[in-house]
């Protein structure tokens, strides 16, 4: 395999008339998807695209995304997926840093993309529902056979969220993405040609890209798209399209679980659900499995690991609260504060990863790459423990640990207790400044419908269930907990109310 797009060619040959991509009433077969991608590739080559040139995609979950993604790969280009909600100043950074030659933008986001392109060498092209109009790109001979690319050449530059500085572009190779899609489809989720996969995870994010789009392309499953997650619409699509595999982040499962239509919707087609992106509260997992009568598997990964690194597997018992075991082709170890390896029952350490899923490095950032991968093992910044069976439990992000008077408080432990309170729908535990202790424990919560919102009662509830130094002294209610584009809770945007 020399080009990730080879999977599309193979599937189009094997299942030409099967539905590949669906968005409500719009459908593309595998043959149509391949043909449209080949036409895009030819137009890009005619416009001057050379192998390795970067092409940015600023698109929601619409059929144009797979068309342009695979069209770029067929032409030998490198894809730079971007969050459509970025503003012009942010867009300019992505264009400049990646050196993108072309950028395709959906109409709603075209103005910001064009604004960001000013002063750069990036040509912005408007995209319709299935790609650009013919007048925006020169016609060229369709490229139906992928341009040769080496396994270790970069297929995608995927920018990290930038929580610790300006975003860095993780270079994911053709081999990284192909093997991770293969293992996601075959070893973890077990996607087959007859499956219908729910595509509500953003395709510009690595979880949706690998486990949704690339895994479906590899297997010939149908991917049914939802451009913007809304729990009622998601439930409607599950019933309408007989979705068998649902891939989401914890907030999506919580939102569907508590939606008024949850009990009246026919979800019996569901076979397997997978969760990633952030820690899945055990309360949500057990309630969801009980209500929907489906297996919900939690896993773990990062942009830098293509993304999947560990999972609770179908052929083994799940351990709620854990991120499962290392997947095939990936090694995980825990590294202590003195650089020592931390084994089962020996406490916690930082997760370090190596394997065929590990990125090539950060685009044009050799120093940052060397810091992140000093010895062949990628330092994730996540703190975890491991048990005798090789199941890992995330304790917290290294940088999110609250140090209260010299004592370490791991927010996830406190959040797990909060999620068992009957009034709490979502929560986020953060450190709040304290002039005596350095920082103290605070909790922002959003409430279930009809809840009283008695924060004193919530605080007392947690105080009764964990050590005294861990419970949140400050609890406040938010209408909505801030979230990123994938539905992941953004703690950096949460601030405690002033006294």
């Amino acid at each position: 395999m020399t080009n990730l797009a080879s999977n599309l060619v193979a599937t189009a040959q094997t299942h030409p008339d099967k539905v590949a991509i669906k968005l409500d009433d719009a459908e593309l077969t595998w043959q149509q998807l391949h043909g449209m991608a080949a036409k895009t590739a030819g137009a890009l080559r005619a416009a001057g695209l050379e192998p390795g040139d970067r092409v940015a995609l600023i698109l929601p979950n619409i059929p144009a995304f797979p068309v342009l993604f695979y069209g770029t790969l067929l032409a030998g280009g490198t894809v730079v997926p971007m969050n459509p909600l970025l503003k012009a100043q942010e867009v300019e950074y992505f264009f400049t840093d990646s050196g993108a030659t072309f950028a395709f933008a959906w109409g709603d986001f075209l103005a910001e993309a064009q604004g960001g392109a000013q002063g750069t060498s990036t040509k912005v092209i408007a995209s319709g529902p299935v790609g650009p109009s013919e007048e925006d790109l020169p016609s060229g001979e369709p490229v139906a056979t992928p341009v040769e690319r080496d396994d270790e050449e970069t297929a995608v530059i995927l920018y990290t969220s930038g929580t610790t500085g300006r975003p860095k572009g993780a270079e994911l190779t053709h081999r990284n993405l192909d093997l991770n899609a293969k293992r996601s489809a075959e070893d973890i989720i077990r996607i087959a040609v007859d499956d219908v996969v729910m595509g509500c995870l953003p395709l510009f994010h690595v979880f949706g890209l690998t486990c949704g789009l690339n895994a479906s392309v590899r297997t010939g499953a149908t991917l049914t798209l939802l451009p913007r997650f809304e729990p009622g619409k998601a439930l409607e699509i599950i019933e309408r399209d007989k979705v068998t595999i649902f891939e989401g982040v914890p907030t999506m499962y919580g939102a569907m679980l508590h939606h008024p239509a949850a009990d009246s919707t026919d979800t019996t087609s569901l076979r397997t659900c997978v969760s990633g992106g952030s820690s899945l509260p055990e309360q949500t997992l057990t309630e969801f499995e009980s209500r929907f009568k489906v297996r919900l598997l939690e896993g773990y990964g990062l942009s830098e690991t293509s993304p999947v690194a560990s999972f609770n597997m179908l052929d083994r018992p799940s351990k709620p609260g854990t991120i499962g075991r290392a997947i095939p082709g990936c090694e995980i170890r825990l590294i202590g504060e003195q650089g020592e390896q931390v084994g089962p029952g020996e406490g916690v350490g930082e997760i370090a990863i190596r394997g065929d899923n590990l990125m090539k490095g950060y685009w044009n950032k050799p120093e940052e790459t060397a810091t992140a991968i000093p010895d062949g093992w990628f330092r994730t910044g996540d703190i975890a423990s491991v048990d005798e069976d090789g199941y890992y439990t995330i304790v917290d992000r290294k940088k999110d640990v609250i140090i209260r008077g010299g004592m370490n408080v791991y927010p996830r432990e406190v959040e797990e207790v909060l999620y068992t309170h009957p009034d709490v729908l979502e929560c986020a535990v953060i450190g709040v400044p304290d002039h005596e202790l350095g920082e103290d424990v605070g909790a922002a919560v959003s409430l279930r419908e009809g809840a009283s919102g008695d924060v004193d009662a919530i605080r007392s509830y947690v105080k009764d269930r964990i050590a005294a130094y861990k419970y949140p002294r400050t609890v406040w209610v938010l209408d909505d907990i801030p979230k990123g584009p994938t539905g992941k809770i953004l703690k950096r945007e949460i601030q405690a109310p002033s006294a």
Side-chain angles (χ1 to χ4, degrees):
M1 207 290 297
T2 56
N3 188 320
L4 183 63
S6 300
N7 292 332
L8 175 59
V9 177
T11 298
Q13 290 172 345
T14 309
H15 308 289
D17 300 322
K18 185 176 180 298
V19 174
I21 305 295
K22 183 174 171 61
L23 175 59
D24 293 330
D25 294 331
E27 294 181 345
L28 290 179
T29 66
W30 287 111
Q31 187 175 55
Q32 288 172 327
L33 177 57
H34 178 222
M36 296 169 83
K39 187 175 179 181
T40 298
L44 283 169
R45 294 305 302 271
L49 184 83
E50 297 291 335
D53 285 352
R54 275 75 63 205
V55 176
L57 302 185
I58 308 175
L59 305 165
N61 283 15
I62 56 176
F65 192 105
V67 169
L68 295 171
F69 180 83
Y70 278 96
T72 300
L73 294 179
L74 282 168
T78 297
V79 183
V80 183
M82 291 170 55
N83 185 341
L85 300 181
L86 294 173
K87 297 301 183 183
Q89 186 175 344
E90 299 166 303
V91 169
E92 181 184 13
Y93 169 76
F94 279 69
F95 285 174
T96 303
D97 190 71
S98 67
T101 304
F102 298 100
F104 293 100
W106 174 244
D108 292 350
F109 317 115
L110 190 58
E112 296 291 346
Q114 291 171 332
Q118 293 181 11
T120 75
S121 58
T122 306
K123 180 182 179 181
V124 176
I125 302 165
S127 174
V130 292
S133 60
E134 292 188 6
E135 59 264 25
D136 289 328
L137 276 175
S139 60
E141 188 68 27
V143 180
T145 301
V147 170
E148 286 271 331
R149 300 297 283 159
D150 185 85
D151 279 358
E152 300 309 317
E153 287 184 289
T154 305
V156 170
I157 298 175
L158 222 145
Y159 280 84
T160 61
S161 57
T163 55
T164 57
R166 300 209 80 172
K168 300 185 290 288
E171 290 189 76
L172 302 179
T173 68
H174 289 269
R175 183 170 183 265
N176 284 154
L177 291 168
D178 179 60
L179 288 178
N180 211 247
K182 178 180 186 290
R183 287 175 175 135
S184 297
E186 295 179 7
D187 298 319
I188 302 166
I189 314 171
R190 296 189 179 171
I191 302 173
V193 66
D194 294 330
D195 277 314
V196 177
V197 180
M198 184 77 172
C200 57
L201 289 165
L203 297 179
F204 64 79
H205 187 270
V206 68
F207 188 5
L209 182 65
T210 292
C211 300
L213 178 58
N214 291 343
S216 296
V217 169
R218 219 180 189 287
T219 57
T222 297
L223 183 68
T224 182
L225 297 174
L226 177 58
R228 183 177 179 275
F229 181 78
E230 193 282 314
K233 180 66 174 178
L235 289 165
E236 177 189 317
I237 292 172
I238 291 170
E239 179 175 286
R240 182 194 72 198
D241 295 343
K242 302 291 187 288
V243 171
T244 57
I245 294 169
F246 188 98
E247 302 171 350
V249 296
T251 54
M252 292 178 180
Y253 290 107
M256 289 194 298
L257 184 61
H258 301 296
H259 193 272
D263 289 328
S264 59
T265 302
D266 182 1
T267 59
T268 54
S269 61
L270 282 176
R271 186 180 76 248
T272 305
C273 297
V274 296
S275 179
S278 57
S279 297
L280 177 67
E282 288 187 50
Q283 188 80 7
T284 302
L285 186 152
T286 54
E287 284 187 29
F288 193 92
E289 287 191 331
S290 175
R291 174 171 289 189
F292 293 99
K293 305 296 186 290
V294 66
R295 186 99 179 262
L296 174 52
L297 306 173
E298 183 175 7
Y300 169 77
L302 311 98
S303 297
E304 292 89 344
T305 58
S306 303
V308 184
S310 70
F311 240 95
N312 282 276
M313 306 287 191
L314 280 167
D315 60 353
R316 293 174 179 268
S318 290
K319 292 193 178 184
T322 78
I323 55 169
R325 297 159 48 91
I327 67 166
C330 176
E331 295 177 81
I332 298 178
R333 66 167 48 163
L334 301 181
I335 298 176
E337 292 186 6
Q338 307 304 317
E340 77 281 11
Q341 189 167 343
V342 177
E346 295 178 0
V348 300
E350 181 179 3
I351 294 178
I353 294 171
R354 73 177 180 186
D356 54 38
N357 56 339
L358 182 57
M359 67 173 180
K360 190 157 90 175
Y362 291 118
W363 172 256
N364 285 341
K365 289 182 170 54
E367 291 183 5
E368 286 89 337
T369 301
T371 299
I373 315 173
D375 50 5
W377 291 85
F378 172 65
R379 304 302 200 272
T380 66
D382 289 314
I383 305 299
S385 61
V386 62
D387 67 15
E388 296 289 346
D389 297 321
Y391 286 72
Y392 290 85
T393 300
I394 296 279
V395 176
D396 237 308
R397 285 288 298 170
K398 191 174 183 179
K399 63 182 180 60
D400 286 343
V401 173
I402 301 166
I403 303 175
R404 182 183 186 274
M407 301 287 283
N408 284 4
V409 179
Y410 296 100
R412 176 163 185 205
E413 183 183 1
V414 185
E415 289 162 357
E416 287 287 355
V417 178
L418 280 163
Y419 273 112
T420 65
H421 191 284
D423 286 353
V424 174
L425 178 64
E426 293 178 341
C427 65
V429 172
I430 63 171
V432 297
D434 185 281
H435 71 280
E436 291 183 1
L437 299 168
E439 57 182 345
D440 210 334
V441 184
V445 300
S446 65
L447 303 175
R448 300 185 190 225
E449 191 173 346
S452 66
D454 186 343
V455 294
D456 290 334
I458 294 173
R459 182 171 52 247
S460 297
Y461 176 89
V462 180
K463 182 180 179 181
D464 290 343
R465 286 162 174 80
I466 55 176
Y469 70 91
K470 297 179 183 178
Y471 80 87
R473 268 58 177 180
T474 307
V475 179
W476 64 99
V477 175
L478 297 177
D479 290 338
D480 291 294
I481 303 289
K483 300 180 189 69
T486 62
K488 183 177 180 179
I489 289 174
L490 297 179
K491 292 188 178 182
R492 66 179 181 274
E493 294 191 7
I494 300 172
Q495 291 186 334
S498 54

